[in-house]
């Protein structure tokens, strides 16, 4: 596990692990519908701690409604991301507490117990979100630009549905998941490499289970409630009855039983205050939105004793989640800030065309395939993600489209698409295929390749190429005279009646244009009289 968690990091301001005293503000997400977060000032040293209530932090939805939130992340730029229990995924608020936008994943996130930012588009906008999904017992990484899951894994065991308690984005493109399987009375921590999402790289279980081969057994991992990581690879865990600090090898190096805290109920949430001190919340099950003596905040020294340094006064409801007002990097790994940069933004300016657009034919018949090729190379220092390469066609000469932007080209007909390649540094990609010309009419056309980044912003790739849709040699041209338009029910001048054609050869004619002869009419009249019982003689 040391190799899995103890990787080199890019940190924001790294807290001093040896700090002897800390003063910070924490925000608490209450259970139930709310317009505000609870705010507390926490001062702590190895000898004592003090928890003081401050003014609430307002959060206001655009429609003014109440909402129940499940998780809280302070973004590096000052915005606040709250997991939404009403099915909208996550809601982002600005520094004044006003709603900025909602980040909704496919379907509804009916139960998303944890969020962690994997990558940032900017200081306030998550590009990728790691989330637990208890509607289906899975974990996902959601791309907020593309509006889809780009990483997903099932967490269920044989005859047991998974319940995700918490998630964290770890150094080195790794994800930590705290999971319970109530049906088989198991709990555990699963560490996944992003590149392999079918099997976890590290498994820590409360007891053995046949679905996992050679897991590390940690009996203390029973009924997990919350989790947060440290840059060193250590983990802070809240179970229903204890707090645990695990080192990078998965060994319990400190624990504190709730029974020693002088408070009943169960642990519910936690957060690091520094790399040494932690704050946790307790609640009374079944009384989520009502005041109770067991709804409290407790401050601990994870390098000291097992009793809390301080307890808050009873709270007005169950404290469901805790976040530092100053933030921690939004990853749920204290001091690790989510990555950002060209790879996240998929900056297409680093792509160079080394083999310009070529079309296999200058002229094709309507609906015939049109071969194409174009070569690009990534000259960035890191991997670059491209949402799509598209071949677009306009019914005009290439001279007429010479000043068109990528956005203007997107108004034209798409003939071919290559989706979601990731180009490594200096990697070359030869795009080739056959375009579908079925939507095109006869005439001159101009083709252009356009690339899109994660945000849907386009960039022209290479030069345009002319081609034509032609009926081909020997095709017959038929001149058609317009007879105008006549709508059903139209009043006024009636359309000219159709004149029946003659049948000079005396053969049978059928259909609406067939002539009616006198002999035929007489035969019909005679049959009719006989059916009525009339005599004809």
């Amino acid at each position: 596990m040391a190799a899995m968690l103890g990787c080199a990091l890019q940190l924001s301001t790294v807290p001093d692990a040896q700090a002897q005293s800390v003063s910070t503000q924490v925000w608490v997400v209450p259970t139930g519908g709310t317009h505000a977060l609870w705010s507390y000032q926490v001062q702590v040293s190895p000898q004592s701690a003090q928890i003081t209530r401050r003014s609430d932090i307002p959060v206001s939805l655009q429609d003014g409604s109440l909402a129940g939130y499940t998780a809280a992340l302070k973004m590096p730029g000052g915005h606040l991301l709250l997991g939404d229990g009403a099915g909208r995924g996550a809601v982002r608020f600005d520094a004044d507490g006003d709603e900025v936008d909602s980040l909704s994943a496919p379907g509804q996130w009916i139960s998303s117990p944890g969020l962690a930012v994997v990558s940032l588009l900017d200081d306030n906008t998550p590009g990728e979100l790691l989330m637990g999904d208890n509607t289906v017992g899975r974990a996902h990484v959601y791309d907020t630009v593309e509006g889809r899951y780009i990483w997903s894994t099932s967490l269920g065991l044989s005859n047991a549905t998974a319940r995700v308690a918490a998630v964290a984005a770890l150094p080195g493109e790794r994800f930590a998941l705290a999971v319970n399987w109530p049906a088989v009375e198991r709990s555990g921590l699963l560490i996944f490499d992003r590149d392999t999402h079918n099997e976890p790289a590290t498994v820590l279980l409360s007891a053995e289970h046949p679905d996992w081969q050679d897991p590390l057994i940690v009996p203390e991992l029973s009924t997990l409630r919350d989790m947060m990581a440290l840059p060193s690879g250590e983990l802070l865990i809240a179970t229903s009855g204890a707090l645990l600090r695990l080192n990078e090898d998965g060994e319990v190096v400190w624990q504190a039983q709730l029974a020693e805290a002088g408070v009943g109920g169960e642990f519910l949430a936690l957060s690091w205050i520094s790399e040494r001190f932690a704050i946790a919340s307790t609640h009374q099950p079944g009384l989520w939105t009502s005041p109770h003596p067991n709804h409290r905040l407790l401050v601990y020294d994870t390098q000291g004793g097992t009793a809390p340094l301080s307890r808050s006064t009873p709270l007005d409801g169950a404290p469901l989640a805790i976040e530092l007002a100053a933030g921690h990097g939004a990853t749920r790994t204290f001091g690790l800030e989510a990555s950002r940069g060209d790879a996240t933004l998929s900056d297409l300016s680093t792509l160079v065309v080394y083999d310009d657009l070529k079309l296999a034919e200058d002229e094709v018949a309507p609906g015939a395939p049109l071969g194409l090729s174009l070569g690009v190379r990534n000259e960035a220092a890191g991997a670059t993600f491209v949402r799509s390469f598209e071949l677009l066609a306009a019914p005009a000469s290439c001279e007429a489209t010479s000043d068109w932007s990528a956005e203007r080209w997107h108004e034209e007909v798409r003939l071919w698409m290559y989706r979601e390649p990731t180009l490594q540094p200096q990697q070359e990609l030869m795009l080739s295929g056959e375009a579908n010309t079925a939507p095109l009419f006869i005439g001159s056309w101009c083709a252009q390749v356009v690339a899109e980044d994660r945000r849907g912003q386009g960039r022209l790739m290479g030069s345009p190429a002319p081609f034509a849709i032609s009926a081909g040699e020997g095709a017959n041209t038929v001149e058609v005279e317009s007879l105008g338009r006549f709508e059903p029910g139209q009043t006024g001048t009636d359309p000219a009646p159709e004149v029946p054609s003659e049948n000079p050869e005396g053969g049978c004619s059928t259909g609406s244009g067939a002539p009616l002869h006198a002999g035929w009419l007489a035969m019909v009249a005679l049959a009719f009289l006989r059916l009525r019982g009339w005599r004809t003689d």
Side-chain angles (χ1 to χ4, degrees):
M1 184 172 177
M4 295 299 137
L5 303 182
C7 301
L9 326 178
Q10 292 295 326
L11 299 177
S12 57
T13 303
V14 181
D16 182 1
Q18 304 302 320
Q20 296 299 301
S21 63
V22 175
S23 179
T24 191
Q25 188 178 13
V26 301
W27 292 344
V28 175
V29 178
T31 305
T34 183
H35 282 305
L37 307 184
W38 300 336
S39 177
Y40 294 85
Q41 188 70 33
V42 178
Q43 294 178 303
V44 57
S45 69
Q47 293 75 36
S48 64
Q50 184 176 357
I51 306 172
T52 306
R53 181 73 181 264
R54 299 300 186 193
S55 298
D56 290 350
I57 306 301
V59 287
S60 176
L61 295 173
Q62 291 178 357
D63 60 8
S65 63
L66 291 172
Y69 302 107
T70 59
L73 294 173
K74 182 68 175 292
M75 305 300 292
H79 285 194
L80 179 65
L81 194 67
L82 296 180
D84 178 28
R88 291 180 299 178
V91 183
R92 184 161 59 101
F93 299 87
D94 62 20
D96 296 324
D98 296 323
E99 180 184 354
V100 176
D101 54 19
S102 295
L103 308 174
S104 299
Q108 284 194 334
W109 298 0
I110 302 300
S111 178
S112 52
L115 294 174
V117 175
V118 177
S119 67
L120 291 164
L121 298 177
D122 56 49
D123 284 350
N124 284 316
T125 309
E128 297 170 328
L129 278 174
L130 173 65
M131 57 168 286
D133 186 352
N134 284 342
T135 60
V136 292
R138 300 180 69 93
H140 314 289
V141 173
Y142 173 59
D143 188 310
T144 65
V145 174
E146 299 182 19
R148 67 181 185 89
Y149 299 134
I150 57 174
W151 184 94
S152 184
T153 189
S154 177
L155 303 171
L157 295 179
S158 300
N159 301 318
T161 301
R163 303 288 297 176
V164 181
V167 302
L170 305 177
E173 294 285 293
R174 293 173 172 83
F175 308 138
L177 310 175
V179 186
N180 296 305
W181 297 275
V184 292
E185 298 182 343
R186 297 290 189 275
S187 298
L189 300 173
L190 308 179
I191 311 299
F192 285 87
D193 290 322
R194 178 169 181 161
D195 291 339
T196 56
H197 52 83
N198 292 325
E199 294 292 337
T202 303
V203 178
L204 283 70
L205 289 182
S206 57
E208 292 185 356
H209 190 277
D211 283 8
W212 300 117
Q213 299 296 322
D214 300 322
L216 178 60
I217 302 302
V218 183
E220 293 86 351
L221 296 176
S222 176
T223 315
L224 303 182
R225 298 299 191 207
D226 203 359
M227 169 194 65
M228 195 169 176
L230 281 180
S232 63
E234 294 181 275
L235 298 172
L236 182 64
I237 309 294
T239 71
S240 60
L243 298 181
L244 310 172
R245 180 168 181 163
L246 277 62
N247 65 15
E248 58 272 21
D249 295 319
E251 300 172 343
V252 178
V253 296
W254 174 88
Q255 63 177 304
Q257 299 294 323
L258 182 57
E260 301 178 20
V263 177
E266 297 178 353
F267 281 116
L268 186 57
L270 59 77
S271 176
W272 289 106
I273 296 175
S274 70
E275 292 190 358
R276 174 172 180 171
F277 302 112
I279 185 169
S281 68
T282 61
H283 79 297
Q284 179 61 37
L287 297 174
W288 296 95
T289 59
S290 303
H292 194 276
N294 289 337
H295 298 332
R296 293 181 186 257
L297 299 175
L298 310 177
V299 177
Y300 285 89
D301 179 0
T302 65
Q303 296 178 5
T306 59
L309 296 172
S310 180
R311 299 179 299 175
S312 71
T313 57
L315 309 183
D316 294 333
L320 187 60
I322 303 172
E323 173 64 310
L324 302 182
H328 65 270
T331 58
R332 294 294 290 173
T333 293
F334 185 74
L336 173 65
E337 190 170 293
S339 63
R340 61 167 65 77
D342 292 342
T344 300
L345 296 174
S346 61
D347 182 3
L348 302 185
S349 66
T350 64
L351 298 183
V352 174
V353 174
Y354 70 85
D355 191 352
D356 210 353
L357 175 62
K358 294 182 177 64
L359 301 179
E361 303 288 343
D362 295 331
E363 185 176 303
V364 295
L370 177 62
L372 68 110
S373 67
L374 181 136
V376 296
R377 180 173 57 251
N378 178 27
E379 296 193 347
T384 297
F385 173 83
V386 183
R387 183 175 181 177
S388 67
F389 290 98
E390 298 177 338
L391 181 71
L392 304 169
S397 67
C398 289
E399 289 77 11
T401 65
S402 59
D403 60 347
W404 284 13
S405 65
E407 290 72 21
R408 174 62 183 85
W409 270 104
H410 274 134
E411 299 175 10
E412 301 303 323
V413 183
R414 185 176 69 198
L415 305 182
W416 177 88
M417 173 184 281
Y418 184 80
R419 291 180 57 85
E420 300 175 0
T422 298
L423 280 72
Q424 300 302 317
Q426 302 305 313
Q427 179 182 348
E428 294 183 348
L429 173 64
M430 175 57 73
L431 301 169
S432 62
E434 291 187 339
N436 176 22
T437 65
L440 307 185
F441 52 79
I442 293 174
S444 298
W445 291 80
C446 182
Q448 174 69 57
V449 174
V450 176
E452 277 193 355
D453 65 10
R454 284 187 187 276
R455 290 179 167 179
Q457 296 175 344
R459 182 188 176 214
L460 303 179
M461 303 301 298
S463 305
F467 69 101
I469 302 295
S470 172
E473 296 182 2
N476 294 325
T477 301
V478 179
E479 294 185 1
V480 179
E481 179 183 358
S482 174
L483 298 178
R485 182 178 179 84
F486 182 77
E487 299 290 347
Q490 177 178 330
T491 59
T493 304
D494 292 334
E498 183 177 319
V499 179
S501 61
E502 297 292 338
N503 190 348
E505 298 181 2
C508 295
S509 296
T510 59
S512 60
L516 298 179
H517 298 281
W520 172 253
L521 291 175
M523 292 176 63
V524 172
L526 180 62
F528 178 78
L529 292 175
R530 287 179 175 175
L531 287 173
R532 297 293 301 268
W534 290 12
R535 292 176 61 91
T536 59
D537 53 352

